[in-house]
Amino acid sequence: MAAAAWRLGRLHDGLTATEESLDLAVALHDRTGQAQSTGMLGLLLATLGRYDEARAHLRRSIGLKHELGAYRAEAQSLTDLSSLHEHCGRYQEAAEAARHAIELNHRIGAWDMEALALTDLAVAHLAMDQDEQAGSCLDRVLELNAESAPAAEMSRVHALYAQVRHRLGENAAAMRHAQRALELDGSSRAPLRQATVRNILGRVYRGQGKYAAATDLHTAAHDIATGVGYRIEAARALAGLSATLRAGGDTEAADDYRGRAAAEFDQLGIPSGNGV
């Protein structure tokens, strides 16, 4: 139930259900239940921007899952920890957690989970301006599960591909991947991924000088993220709108959005330029 709530963006419902599950698992001395619930709690808290609490739960979950030999589940929590580190601007730590998850998934033959971890490693590489390494990660993702992955995940992969190709000066390829990301996103019912994809593509379109499209994408990302409480993407959307308006010459509006974004990032306790 909690995992479904997270996918659908019903974060507070998922949080309540997971806290109840954790209480029950503790009362029953159920270590497997505790491992599952602490991991889910960490993911939900991270999405809500409660990073210190989330980090503690994810690390606890990773330890329990390792002790139990639940290696696939351990790798999932490592991937979630990688995303948390990336949100907080701790890119080297994000890459390390993703690599650990990749190695673990590869060892047990969990190709679908390896693809997820590779995608998070690509995000960390992009944050560190390592564009070719990010592209290599995404190439491997397509080799592993291009046909079987959920639309929401492949939409994110193609959006990241668009960002890589744009940075490498391959503008036509960037636009092809951007269009494919939007096509896949249209068939997705995963609001968290939708907000992320729109912000990534907003940055790409801005870099291509397509300011109206970039504005629409960041506005949609902000509306979606705000609606479900995904604070990091809401803040990134405001920052994206500021950068787009500034590039288009509307400095007054840009300054307003920049101030709003800075306030959001400050409340989250993370760098204001993160993911912008």
Side-chain angles (χ1 to χ4, degrees):
M1 175 181 174
W6 179 83
R7 285 192 295 272
L8 294 170
R10 294 165 50 191
L11 304 179
H12 292 285
D13 289 344
L15 191 62
T16 299
T18 304
E19 288 173 337
E20 292 173 353
S21 295
L22 180 57
D23 288 343
L24 181 59
V26 170
L28 295 174
H29 305 287
D30 176 6
R31 286 169 59 78
T32 298
Q34 290 177 50
Q36 293 171 342
S37 294
T38 52
M40 194 69 233
L41 199 55
L43 175 60
L44 288 160
L45 289 168
T47 308
L48 289 165
R50 293 164 59 179
Y51 296 120
D52 289 341
E53 296 170 79
R55 189 178 296 107
H57 282 294
L58 285 171
R59 286 176 172 160
R60 172 63 174 155
S61 178
I62 289 164
L64 283 170
K65 289 169 181 175
H66 186 78
E67 291 172 12
L68 293 164
Y71 299 124
R72 180 184 173 94
E74 179 188 355
Q76 176 64 70
S77 288
L78 281 164
T79 301
D80 295 337
L81 183 61
S82 175
S83 295
L84 185 155
H85 285 321
E86 187 273 330
H87 287 181
C88 295
R90 298 162 65 166
Y91 305 129
Q92 289 287 356
E93 291 176 73
E96 289 170 9
R99 288 191 187 98
H100 191 176
I102 291 164
E103 292 168 2
L104 189 52
N105 283 312
H106 190 78
R107 189 165 75 239
I108 65 175
W111 312 123
D112 56 335
M113 296 297 296
E114 184 178 348
L116 285 175
L118 280 161
T119 305
D120 279 342
L121 181 56
V123 172
H125 279 310
L126 279 167
M128 294 184 287
D129 296 323
Q130 298 168 348
D131 304 327
E132 293 185 357
Q133 292 95 320
S136 295
C137 290
L138 298 172
D139 289 342
R140 179 62 177 151
V141 171
L142 291 187
E143 291 173 7
L144 287 170
N145 70 352
E147 299 300 324
S148 59
E153 292 305 326
M154 290 313 299
S155 177
R156 181 170 68 132
V157 169
H158 281 284
L160 292 167
Y161 253 130
Q163 190 170 6
V164 169
R165 298 305 171 208
H166 167 67
R167 288 187 179 187
L168 294 175
E170 301 171 11
N171 293 333
M175 287 297 96
R176 286 197 300 272
H177 283 294
Q179 287 301 316
R180 183 58 178 150
L182 289 170
E183 290 168 5
L184 289 164
D185 186 68
S187 63
S188 165
R189 295 184 179 180
L192 304 178
R193 288 290 185 249
Q194 288 176 334
T196 299
V197 165
R198 281 163 173 74
N199 272 334
I200 295 169
L201 294 179
R203 296 192 287 273
V204 173
Y205 276 84
R206 180 174 74 240
Q208 298 275 333
K210 302 177 186 294
Y211 301 136
T215 297
D216 289 344
L217 286 161
H218 285 308
T219 300
H222 183 263
D223 291 346
I224 294 167
T226 300
V228 298
Y230 196 7
R231 297 181 65 191
I232 180 69
E233 292 299 345
R236 286 173 171 174
L238 291 171
L241 284 166
S242 174
T244 302
L245 289 164
R246 190 172 306 283
D250 190 345
T251 57
E252 184 176 351
D255 287 343
D256 177 62
Y257 278 110
R258 183 178 62 183
R260 291 171 59 188
E264 289 293 327
F265 283 119
D266 186 60
Q267 287 182 17
L268 289 168
I270 58 179
S272 60
N274 179 338
V276 178

